[in-house]
């Protein structure tokens, strides 16, 4: 099974998400953003039976 965090699409989505969160000056932990994003993507993939 491929770790979603190792894909170009995920890294792009992560960079866009972090940019959006950092623009208004929100204080976020990058590891937390990555983990929440990975959880959300994996949950959708499981529900769509894509894994």
């Amino acid at each position: 099974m491929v770790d979603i965090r190792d894909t170009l699409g995920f890294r792009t989505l992560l960079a866009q998400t972090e940019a959006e969160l950092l623009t208004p000056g929100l204080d976020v932990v990058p590891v937390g953003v990555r983990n929440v994003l990975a959880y959300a993507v994996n949950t959708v993939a499981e529900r769509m039976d894509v894994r």
Side-chain angles (χ1 to χ4, degrees):
M1 176 175 11
V2 175
D3 185 2
I4 190 71
R5 292 172 283 197
D6 292 334
T7 64
L8 177 61
F10 182 82
R11 290 191 303 266
T12 302
L13 182 60
L14 179 61
Q16 291 171 344
T17 302
E18 288 177 336
E20 286 293 320
L21 291 174
L22 294 176
T23 299
L26 294 176
D27 188 22
V28 296
V29 179
V31 173
V33 174
R34 182 176 49 222
N35 290 340
V36 168
L37 201 55
Y39 175 78
V41 170
N42 283 323
T43 298
V44 170
E46 286 175 8
R47 290 183 182 176
M48 294 180 68
D49 199 25
V50 177
R51 295 190 115 205

